[in-house]
Amino acid sequence: MQHRALLAAAVAFVACFGTPLRAATVVEYYHPQLDHYFITPLADEIADLDSGRVAGWLRTGLAFDASATPDAGLSPVCRFYIPPERGDSHFLSASPAECAAVRARIG
């Protein structure tokens, strides 16, 4: 399962969308109708998903600790949002080269 590999590989979660993160727990969600998984350390997203404000998402019970502080031995992870007209998803990668390529492509 691809999302499990991402969970195992994500030692550090660094958001690429501007908001600096502190050390946090990254929570995993599942949407049965879409058969999609989603992970987030962001308190506002967790609150929206847990409250049902964003409907259909359920906690899987899996989570992992992350750090937003770059350090030796940690792998930064970038996250990009793909809008509905292009697929309505999030793209995450622990590859600095892949993150840079996506940043360059989207400008």
Side-chain angles (χ1 to χ4, degrees), residues 2-89:
Q2 186 176 6
H3 77 284
R4 303 275 185 234
L6 179 60
L7 286 173
V11 177
F13 189 101
V14 179
C16 295
F17 45 88
T19 305
L21 302 173
R22 298 181 218 5
T25 298
V26 180
V27 179
E28 182 185 56
Y29 292 86
Y30 178 66
H31 193 297
Q33 288 77 27
L34 300 175
D35 193 26
H36 287 181
Y37 289 87
F38 178 70
I39 59 173
T40 184
L42 302 177
D44 59 334
E45 288 182 344
I46 291 169
D48 287 348
L49 294 165
D50 286 345
S51 71
R53 182 172 180 268
V54 179
W57 293 94
L58 307 168
R59 283 190 186 221
T60 66
L62 299 176
F64 60 92
D65 292 329
S67 173
T69 306
D71 201 358
L74 298 180
S75 297
V77 174
C78 65
R79 172 179 140 182
F80 296 94
Y81 174 65
I82 302 166
E85 61 274 11
R86 295 192 164 211
D88 195 21
S89 188

